[in-house]
Amino acid sequence: MTVLWRRLAVRWRGARPFLTALIYLLVLAAPWVGWRVLDWSQAQAYDRLEEQGREHLALYAQALHAEITTFRNVPLVLASDAGVRALLTAGGDAAALSRRLETLNGILGASALYVLNRDGLTLAASNWRDPSGGFVGRRFDFRPYFTAAMAGRVGQYFALGSTSNRPGDYIAVPVRGPEGVVGAVVVKTAMDVLERGWSSRGERVFVSDGHGVIFITNTPSWRYLTRAPLTAATLAAIRASRQYGDAPLHPLPVVAGSRLQTVDGVGYVTVSAPLADGDGWRLSVMLDAAAAQAAGRQTGLLALLSMGLAGLAVYYLSQRSLRRRRQTRELERRVAERTHALTRTNQRLEAEVAERMRAEMELRAKQQELVQAAKLAALGQMSAGMVHELNQPLAALRGFAENARTFLDQNRPQGALDNLGEIVALTERMARITGQLKQFARKSTDSLAAVDLVAAVEGALSMLSGPLRAAGVAVAWAPPPQPLPVWGEDVRLQQVLVNLLRNALDAMGEGGGGRLALTLDLERETATLAVADNGPGLPPDLLPHLFEPFFTTKPAGEGLGLGLSISEGIVRAFGGRLTAAQGAAGGAVFTLCLRRVEE
Ligand code: ADP
């Protein structure tokens, strides 16, 4: 179902302009179509009614025909009856004939059966017993049926009974004697039974005569109304014949429409046909169209409603598809935006990464340059220290040599020998200093070896003995009696120690009163050397940055901020640790922990 729906929706998406047009068309056309459908369905209903009316009409006509013809032959038979003839030609027992007629009519069931003489006087009648006296003795020479009979024809006439005041159909047959027509036999058929039968059918049925006067009908109030207004002459003639008594013969108040005749606010579908039985008679059936009208209205309304619903459905569908499309577009837009943003972020990140890599490479190059510079600086410092260390013994050497020469000139060999002894001692000391320089200049190797930590400390101390002495620093150092081998490499270990001592010296300054304590702490596997000074110490905000390359608090040109970072790297390469802390009594404590070499 949903698949079908979606497929339709896809189709509709393409047909949007068409859909919009369709909606407008539906909305605009709805009233017109509703009206047309109403009209059409009403016409259909009227057609059906008409058809039904025609069927009924045929039935009514048949019934009427039967009613009239049932008694038509009765006067024909009686006209040749000997008794009747005798009464009219030779005079006879009229009362006896009346009784005969009464008996006969009792069997037949007609309204009345009677005999007129040539003057139109009733000689005998079936209703002679009526309290009013029946027709006997009454003259009917004014009735057209009598005139017709006297002219030798069978007269037929429908009229309101002048005595009984009951409407009826009169049929008169001439009675012939030897010298022509001597009288007439008349049968009157009342139509009220027939009318009562029609009443039960629930529709208006009537028979009108040649003038359009309604004389048989199942609607008593319509009796003696006319289908159309009568001319004055016709009206006078009808009055004269007393056919319909004193009835005013007003026209039936019909409002004629294209399909409907409206009487007293009720619409009727009318069907009518001429009848063979009377002169110019017409049978009409009027069927109430209210039900048909209602049905038509209902159908029209239904059509209107369905059109409205269809319009609504189409509108809803089109809105839905519109909304879907909007949502899809919005989604696409968002996705595009995100993609774009992602691309931008990616590009920015790539650029950043490239920039960082470039910066890092630059930094590395700089670092290497600086490491090199630091090495050179350290070398410079050391050679300066050496020169300072060697200058003193050199000056002393010169003095001792000059003294020896003077003693030799004065021929005092013992004095010369003493001075030469001093010279030898001095050269030994100088050899020791240069030996250290030689050691420092030696190419460092990456392979670790056992290095004597005690000797390394002694070497560093002696290398900086000049500046330490100059700054008036008291050095506390109690070397253990035997060597302490640790894993490392002698030149670089010495570089670390020189750096630590130089930093302490810088921190304590030249003012004097500096105290430098070097203590050893031995564990089974490690040897820890603590270098403590009484300088300003290490504030807590300084500690985390101490071992970062280029971190320095010294004025520009003096410190490179590389010493500690290089030292830390060296110690780590030895498998050891270099840490810094604030000393318990102020000042800084640097702790160098190295792995011992097992003996
Ligand atoms: P530099 O000596 O060139 O500044 P270092 O890495 O050797 O570089 O030292 C970094 C910084 O650590 C020094 O600038 C100094 O502020 C601090 N520092 C190092 N040793 C000590 C010490 N013994 N007492 C106080 N501060 C020290």
Side-chain angles (χ1 to χ4, degrees):
M1 187 65 203
T2 37
V3 171
L4 184 77
W5 202 239
R6 220 170 289 150
R7 242 182 244 167
L8 279 176
V10 169
R11 286 262 168 92
W12 272 328
R13 206 172 295 171
R16 216 184 115 60
F18 167 73
L19 268 184
T20 316
L22 189 67
I23 292 166
Y24 281 117
L25 206 75
L26 279 174
V27 169
L28 287 177
W32 182 80
V33 170
W35 180 73
R36 290 301 316 160
V37 169
L38 182 135
D39 213 42
W40 174 82
S41 67
Q42 263 182 0
Q44 289 294 103
Y46 294 161
D47 284 350
R48 272 197 304 278
L49 268 185
E50 233 170 57
E51 197 167 321
Q52 188 185 333
R54 266 193 293 277
E55 280 167 18
H56 291 185
L57 188 90
L59 289 174
Y60 295 142
Q62 223 169 12
L64 185 69
H65 181 70
E67 192 78 21
I68 290 169
T69 49
T70 307
F71 306 110
R72 175 159 287 178
N73 295 328
V74 175
L76 276 176
V77 174
L78 282 175
S80 46
D81 180 85
V84 174
R85 276 192 167 177
L87 183 68
L88 287 175
T89 50
D93 191 350
L97 186 61
S98 283
R99 278 196 298 277
R100 259 191 71 204
L101 290 177
E102 182 188 21
T103 313
L104 189 63
N105 197 40
I107 297 162
L108 290 173
S111 184
L113 205 57
Y114 53 103
V115 178
L116 305 176
N117 68 6
R118 64 160 66 96
D119 301 320
L121 185 72
T122 310
L123 299 182
S126 61
N127 56 2
W128 65 277
R129 263 188 227 271
D130 279 9
S132 56
F135 293 168
V136 179
R138 290 182 181 274
R139 287 178 75 108
F140 295 113
D141 55 339
F142 60 92
R143 294 293 204 191
Y145 61 81
F146 171 73
T147 338
M150 291 318 286
R153 291 181 277 114
V154 172
Q156 192 201 0
Y157 190 60
F158 190 94
L160 192 65
S162 56
T163 316
S164 64
N165 227 7
R166 286 177 69 194
D169 183 49
Y170 299 83
I171 294 169
V173 175
V175 180
R176 295 170 203 277
E179 301 103 33
V181 180
V182 287
V185 180
V186 186
V187 66
K188 179 188 175 186
T189 317
M191 290 294 163
D192 42 1
V193 178
L194 187 74
E195 284 177 337
R196 276 200 294 278
W198 290 354
S199 301
S200 65
R201 311 214 50 156
E203 54 206 5
R204 312 279 184 198
V205 190
F206 60 83
V207 181
S208 51
D209 66 11
H211 300 299
V213 180
I214 296 168
F215 61 94
I216 304 175
T217 173
N218 64 351
T219 312
S221 61
W222 289 15
R223 183 167 298 125
Y224 308 132
L225 296 183
T226 62
R227 292 178 48 172
L230 299 178
T231 61
T234 316
L235 203 60
I238 297 171
R239 286 263 166 79
S241 75
R242 305 201 49 223
Q243 186 179 5
Y244 301 119
D246 301 322
L249 305 178
H250 290 317
L252 182 72
V254 177
V255 181
S258 65
R259 290 295 300 266
L260 294 187
Q261 268 81 38
T262 311
V263 182
D264 298 332
V266 182
Y268 297 98
V269 167
T270 309
V271 186
S272 71
L275 288 175
D277 292 303
D279 184 19
W281 287 13
R282 224 180 153 74
L283 177 64
S284 301
V285 179
M286 288 176 82
L287 299 104
D288 192 337
Q293 276 171 320
R297 266 198 302 277
Q298 265 174 16
T299 315
L301 214 68
L302 217 67
L304 208 69
L305 255 170
S306 3
M307 295 262 314
L309 279 178
L312 268 177
V314 172
Y315 177 76
Y316 170 75
L317 281 176
S318 73
Q319 283 304 97
R320 218 170 87 121
S321 86
L322 191 72
R323 214 170 39 239
R324 287 247 171 109
R325 272 170 59 195
R326 273 205 207 117
Q327 280 173 353
T328 313
R329 239 181 287 149
E330 174 64 21
L331 213 69
E332 281 169 359
R333 195 182 61 72
R334 275 196 217 152
V335 168
E337 243 175 36
R338 294 238 172 113
T339 315
H340 189 63
L342 273 175
T343 316
R344 268 193 319 221
T345 314
N346 250 8
Q347 284 169 346
R348 214 182 51 231
L349 280 176
E350 275 169 19
E352 262 174 36
V353 167
E355 173 60 25
R356 279 210 193 146
M357 272 168 72
R358 199 184 57 75
E360 200 158 301
M361 271 160 74
E362 250 178 34
L363 198 72
R364 267 202 211 138
K366 265 260 160 58
Q367 254 176 349
Q368 272 167 5
E369 255 173 45
L370 285 168
V371 168
Q372 199 53 36
K375 273 187 179 169
L376 286 175
L379 204 65
Q381 274 178 357
M382 264 184 295
S383 30
M386 285 309 156
V387 168
H388 181 80
E389 286 296 304
L390 291 178
N391 263 348
Q392 252 187 334
L394 263 178
L397 211 62
R398 187 189 174 100
F400 286 130
E402 274 171 2
N403 285 350
R405 191 163 65 192
T406 310
F407 279 123
L408 282 177
D409 283 345
Q410 292 168 359
N411 207 11
R412 286 161 66 183
Q414 191 50 51
L417 275 176
D418 286 349
N419 274 292
L420 285 173
E422 287 295 335
I423 287 171
V424 170
L426 271 173
T427 50
E428 269 174 10
R429 197 175 146 211
M430 285 171 78
R432 222 169 46 235
I433 292 169
T434 52
Q436 267 166 10
L437 186 66
K438 210 161 71 193
Q439 212 178 35
F440 195 85
R442 215 163 56 197
K443 194 171 173 274
S444 62
T445 59
D446 277 344
S447 54
L448 297 183
V451 187
D452 182 9
L453 179 60
V454 178
V457 172
E458 302 266 85
L461 276 174
S462 91
M463 221 180 279
L464 289 177
S465 60
L468 283 170
R469 212 179 305 129
V473 173
V475 179
W477 164 240
Q482 63 287 90
L484 179 57
V486 291
W487 288 111
E489 198 262 319
D490 53 0
V491 177
R492 286 193 289 161
L493 179 58
Q494 201 141 70
Q495 196 181 336
V496 170
L497 290 170
V498 167
N499 189 52
L500 290 180
L501 295 182
R502 165 85 32 216
N503 274 347
L505 201 56
D506 288 344
M508 290 182 293
E510 314 247 306
R515 280 200 310 279
L516 187 67
L518 298 155
T519 43
L520 264 177
D521 184 23
L522 299 183
E523 298 274 318
R524 221 170 65 80
E525 295 192 351
T526 55
T528 307
L529 175 73
V531 181
D533 61 50
N534 63 344
L538 303 164
D541 58 324
L542 217 80
L543 273 171
H545 306 291
L546 230 47
F547 294 101
E548 286 174 10
F550 309 110
F551 175 81
T552 180
T553 57
K554 292 169 190 171
E558 281 185 31
L560 286 170
L562 275 175
L564 282 179
S565 81
I566 290 173
S567 301
E568 202 265 343
I570 289 170
V571 173
R572 200 146 23 87
F574 291 169
R577 255 182 14 251
L578 178 62
T579 53
Q582 174 75 346
V589 182
F590 284 85
T591 311
L592 175 63
C593 179
L594 292 166
R595 294 179 296 142
R596 291 178 68 175
V597 177
E598 286 164 45
E599 281 155 282

